[in-house]
Amino acid sequence: MTRSRANPAIDAGMRQTLAGLADLIVPAAEDMPAATEVDVPGEWLDRALAAMPAEAESGLAKLLTDVGGQNADTALQQVQTSEEDFNLLLAVVTGAYYLHPVVRDRLGYPGQTPHALLADADVSETPSYLVDGRLQRVKDRGPIFRPTPTA
Amino acid sequence: MATVNADGDKYDVLIVGAGASGSVAAKHLSEAGFSVVCLEQGGYTASSDFPGADLEWELKAQRTWHPNPNVRGRADDYPCDVSDSDVNPLMWSGVGGSTILWAAHWVRFLPSDFRVRSLDGICDDWPFTYEDLEPYYRRVENEFAVSGLEGDPAYPAPYRPPLPPLPIGKIGHRASQGMDKLGWHWWPGPNAIASQPHNGLHRCTLRGTCLTGCPDGAKASTDRTHWPHALRNHARLVTGARVRELPVDAQGRVTGAVYVDRQGNEHQVKAGVTIVAGNGVGTPRLLQMSTSERFPDGLANSSGLVGKNLMMHPYAAVVGQYDDPLDSWVGPAGQAIQSMQFYETDESRGFGRGAKWQVMPSGGPMGLRAGYSGGANEERYGPNLHKNLAESFGHSFEWGLIAEDLPEETNQVSLDPDLTDSDGLPAPKITYKNSQNTRAMLDYHLARATEAHEAAGAKRTVATSLMRDCGWHLMGTARMGEDPATSVTDQWGRTHDVPNLFIIDGSTFVTCAGANPTATIAAVALRCVDHLIAEAKNQEAAS
């Protein structure tokens, strides 16, 4: 997997601020890792921002500058006073988090990949709904459309 | 002052727009031996450009591949003023038109959709019937590689999709169990997505990224299904060609088009017959830009109806969450199953007309439609983020509801007085308000869809009504009819006012049904073009 170039708009200080916020947004819980355990403020932030609108990068830089230097809880409270800022923070942090292969593996999510079964079975075999009577019951209820009126 | 270059060639037919209807026209006219030129403001999109195979697919879908041109802002896009609209129009500018990003639901209209006045006492009848259109549905279904199952009692027989149905997946099986329990109609969803190689398309891999273009080349888009044929038959396709006007001669015939290329130079193309295929927003916009002494209110607009009666299919959805894993990111996206249970009018419900339902997959962790959420903040982060996602992701699917909206002249496309595109041409202004009939219809359907989820065993449902980013279907703004006072074109797409000007896209729809329109757009386009070909010797043309 090729590492993205580090986004220069988000400097080391901003990333440190983001780390505190990110672990509040995505803590270790429910058998899922915390954001900093999967390097959200690092490589995965860069990958996410590269795929998102340009405004996400500039908006995030401003947001992190505005709340920098405070403890994470206070910083998050301040972010939440603006719905726009809070939505942006959530979008960037979760957007980066859910790219990580460990996170996806824990979710049981292989990504949007070609489905292995299709070529082998699904199209050539008789679908179960034709065998178990489910679709026949639809047919047996008869037509449900109104025909073209005559004259 | 821009340079006007006269294109030395004169063509039999000019087509404006290389989307669904324009592509059908180009293929069949060129096959019939006509010289054809098509002007398309956008360009080609290679399937390798689609982000569906990328790790960052969901993030890219939120901007670069968003269906709303106002969000996307590509160079080929033009802006729309939606400040007075409840719904945002969704479309793509490029070869293939909106078939590049469509979900490929292939849904014939029903017989009653063409007889709304006769059956329900409202709106108007179309100038032809389902039976008149049925042979054309059959022909375009082969061209669009429709996968489905014959025997659906929601349609007159015979209706035999050319390819076998795609798997309905765990979400389709679960949803159908609920419908079975309630005794409600359901059927494997027909999709213009190849279940086996057909007409240049590859077999679908169920990747489920259809709405951002198909990287596997399985979804029907007319750049793949129609343009190779048209180009083999010497049709000429000019991309990056933004048409700004259709000039009219002293005899009141359109002589062709004036367009602006991507370097800002103006060109003229001359043709005997001109076909406009810009769909519900692009077509009225061009006609309104083409004013003249003879047509001061816009080309072919003696009725005053160009731009009016905009219909956009208000959309609502109910997402159900289930205990068992449903692998609900698996495609097609596309539709797994559809239901016409509540499609036909039943006046006891308190509204007219109805809606087609479909089951669609839920996308990745960010959600198939990330903008639908809107839950309380506390639910969206912290431990609740993990808890809520564990319950929903891979365990949910949506019943989507396509509501038929009724034509109202106040819902319209006009030229914005201030907003322009990158070439300085006036942008379209969309004026659209959801009606009381729409609201009553969606309330009813949302309640029924919730019942359907509950019958299927859902432990939680979330309903979202009247979402803004749902204007996929753009219809009615140059309606067809027999009376020139109340319509813009006749049943063959020929405008009443201009004998050599045709419109063959969804803007000609009299009513919009409660179902995805592309099947009908393609069938109507083919019917119009077949008639043009048959009557060519009698067709008036610009000299």
Side-chain angles (χ1 to χ4, degrees), chain B residues 109 113-117 122-128 305 308-311 353 404-409 474-483 486-491 496 505-513 520 524:
Chain B
F109 285 2
D113 293 323
F114 301 91
R115 284 292 177 269
V116 178
R117 167 63 73 176
I122 56 173
C123 306
D124 294 292
D125 289 343
W126 290 48
F128 50 81
L305 293 175
K308 293 186 180 164
N309 296 299
L310 173 65
M311 296 171 283
R353 309 300 295 157
E404 176 172 356
D405 46 332
L406 306 180
E408 298 181 47
E409 289 190 18
L474 306 164
M475 301 159 287
T477 48
R479 60 175 14 207
M480 68 175 94
E482 292 166 357
D483 183 353
T486 57
S487 58
V488 177
T489 80
D490 66 14
Q491 64 168 309
H496 295 301
D505 56 45
S507 61
T508 64
F509 285 16
V510 180
T511 52
C512 67
T520 305
V524 168

Side-chain angles (χ1 to χ4, degrees), chain B residues 35-46:
Chain B
S35 62
V36 173
V37 62
C38 179
L39 302 177
E40 165 53 51
Q41 65 188 317
Y44 270 100
T45 309

Side-chain angles (χ1 to χ4, degrees), chain A residues 24-27 29-30 32 44 47-48 51-53 55 76 80 86-87 90-91 94-95 97-99 104 107-115 118 122-123 128-130 134-135 137-139 141-149, chain B residues 52 55-57 59-60 63 111-112 115 119-120 131 149 153-156 164-165 167-168 173 176 180 183-188 204-209 329-330 340 344-345 353 364-366 377 380-383 385-386 389 393:
Chain A
L24 291 177
I25 300 293
V26 191
E30 308 283 335
M32 297 297 288
W44 299 95
R47 291 190 73 130
M52 295 176 79
E55 306 87 81
L76 184 59
Q80 287 184 296
F86 185 59
N87 286 339
L90 283 183
T94 58
Y97 183 76
Y98 290 121
L99 294 177
R104 289 187 169 203
L107 288 175
Y109 174 52
Q112 304 299 130
T113 54
H115 197 254
L118 178 62
D122 296 274
V123 176
S128 61
Y129 53 74
L130 291 180
R134 218 183 319 160
L135 204 61
R137 287 190 279 280
V138 177
K139 294 185 197 177
R141 288 193 288 268
I144 61 169
F145 64 90
R146 289 182 293 170
T148 300
Chain B
L55 186 72
E56 300 89 348
W57 165 66
L59 297 178
K60 291 180 178 178
R63 170 61 177 266
S112 60
R115 284 292 177 269
L119 285 169
D120 294 332
E131 286 72 22
L149 189 69
Y155 296 90
I168 67 174
H173 284 294
S176 68
D180 191 36
W184 289 355
H185 172 267
W186 71 275
W187 202 259
C204 177
T205 67
L206 307 185
R207 186 187 292 276
T209 61
W329 57 84
V330 175
M340 306 296 264
E344 296 281 13
T345 293
R353 309 300 295 157
M366 304 297 286
N377 279 355
R380 299 166 65 200
Y381 75 98
L385 171 74
H386 296 307
L389 194 75
F393 179 64

Side-chain angles (χ1 to χ4, degrees), chain B residues 342 345-355 436-438 440-442 444-445:
Chain B
F342 301 101
T345 293
D346 180 338
E347 291 178 2
S348 69
R349 296 172 189 157
F351 55 85
R353 309 300 295 157
Q436 181 53 38
N437 194 73
T438 289
M441 182 189 301
L442 286 179
Y444 178 88
H445 282 261

Side-chain angles (χ1 to χ4, degrees), chain A residues 25-113:
Chain A
I25 300 293
V26 191
E30 308 283 335
D31 199 32
M32 297 297 288
T36 53
E37 291 180 71
V38 289
D39 198 23
V40 162
E43 173 188 352
W44 299 95
L45 172 69
D46 299 328
R47 291 190 73 130
L49 288 178
M52 295 176 79
E55 306 87 81
E57 171 192 286
S58 54
L60 183 68
K62 180 178 184 305
L63 180 162
L64 295 173
T65 301
D66 287 347
V67 304
Q70 307 176 80
N71 72 53
D73 288 302
T74 305
L76 184 59
Q77 284 175 16
Q78 184 176 334
V79 172
Q80 287 184 296
T81 61
S82 162
E83 186 178 352
E84 189 178 339
D85 283 351
F86 185 59
N87 286 339
L88 173 63
L89 182 66
L90 283 183
V92 172
V93 170
T94 58
Y97 183 76
Y98 290 121
L99 294 177
H100 199 285
V102 166
V103 172
R104 289 187 169 203
D105 185 64
R106 298 270 177 94
L107 288 175
Y109 174 52
Q112 304 299 130
T113 54

